[in-house]
Amino acid sequence: MSGGVEAPSTENQGDAEDEKVMLVHRAKVVEEIITSEFSYVNDLKTLVKHYLKPSKEDSILTDEEVTSIFSNVEFLLGFNEELYRSLRKALGHIGGQSPSETEGTKGGARLGDVFIKLGDFLKMYTVYCNNHTKALENIVKCQQKNQKFAKLLERNSALPECKGLALKDYTIKPVQRLCKYPLLFRELLKFTPISHPDHEVLKLTLAKVQQIADHVNKIAAQQDNFIKMLEVANRLTSYEGNIVETDRRYIREGIFLKSSASPDNLDKFSLATERIVILFSDMILFGKLKKKKQIQVRSIIPLHYVKANDIPDNPSIF
């Protein structure tokens, strides 16, 4: 019929359906970004309220010690509070609407604009992350020499608001959050149609966030090693030395049999005793396992004194 409305082609109908499915998935990613940001801001508030402020206001730590442990976390809290408010505003969060509702009724929110506008402030995370390994080391030192600080950490770990997490668990939160942003925005871009007003700016956002996160990931690898050494140090008994060093790397550990047999008669293990051996980048620690995975240090040998010889394969020989 002339002058009538032309029906959409089957191909166009399929494209419309695909886009509709994408927007459903996008709304779920938006929901995750908002809810996880809210949770993260609350974690920062807990860190500041229960750890930083008492340490500072009650003179439990010196100003220098406070800075060495908490760095610029108060700035990060202020930034992420503003980021959370801006994300909600971009979504039109009024009257209790959910992201899925605002995504559908407002033609899609432009979250990329929020991060492009505030993204440069994310660089302040590098200040925090660069200091984090040192912060973990200073937590241990202050806890060992400062009884008031040790009691604060013990008391807070029992508070419901702290959810059973230790101070070190809260100080790692900013590092984890920054590394999470590229994953979230990669998913968001994946489910954002090319025709969506957020698509192009999201590509710019992802590139900016990824660049900062790549730098932090390198630092995070160093911190994982530091935390592993910290775990080993907390298991040691009858040892007054310092296992935790910034230039030392944890390699691996295992249980072995120490034998008094001679090299010419390796099959005689009547005098063999079980030992835990921990290899670091600069030394080997030999210890005896005690109750609750505690380790009684028996000896530590610097690697420059160690000579390795090949012997026939035997899983019980170290």
Side-chain angles (χ1 to χ4, degrees), residues 280-297:
F280 296 94
S281 58
D282 61 339
M283 67 182 191
I284 301 177
L285 182 149
F286 295 86
K288 183 177 181 180
L289 277 177
K290 310 294 284 185
K291 293 180 179 179
K292 298 181 179 180
K293 297 185 178 181
Q294 294 295 298
I295 301 171
Q296 182 182 25
V297 179

Side-chain angles (χ1 to χ4, degrees), residues 157-212:
S157 64
L159 292 177
E161 303 96 304
C162 295
K163 299 176 288 189
L165 299 178
L167 175 56
K168 66 180 179 66
D169 299 317
Y170 278 103
T171 60
I172 193 69
K173 294 283 186 180
V175 180
Q176 294 172 332
R177 185 58 182 172
L178 187 59
C179 293
K180 182 74 171 176
Y181 283 135
L183 302 177
L184 292 171
F185 277 93
R186 197 173 292 117
E187 280 295 291
L188 189 60
L189 182 61
K190 177 181 176 182
F191 295 114
T192 300
I194 296 177
S195 60
H196 195 285
D198 206 21
H199 189 272
E200 288 303 312
V201 74
L202 274 179
K203 291 198 292 187
L204 297 175
T205 299
L206 180 58
K208 177 176 285 192
V209 174
Q210 186 67 62
Q211 184 179 21
I212 299 172

Side-chain angles (χ1 to χ4, degrees), residues 207-254:
K208 177 176 285 192
V209 174
Q210 186 67 62
Q211 184 179 21
I212 299 172
D214 286 344
H215 171 69
V216 172
N217 275 327
K218 295 178 182 178
I219 300 170
Q222 298 172 358
Q223 292 167 351
D224 288 342
N225 173 70
F226 186 89
I227 290 172
K228 188 63 182 178
M229 287 195 296
L230 198 60
E231 291 173 351
V232 171
N234 289 333
R235 294 168 62 194
L236 303 183
T237 63
S238 305
Y239 182 71
E240 297 181 357
N242 188 19
I243 290 294
V244 180
E245 297 287 353
T246 54
D247 57 349
R248 175 174 292 151
R249 289 184 299 109
Y250 168 92
I251 307 297
R252 64 184 301 177
E253 65 182 74

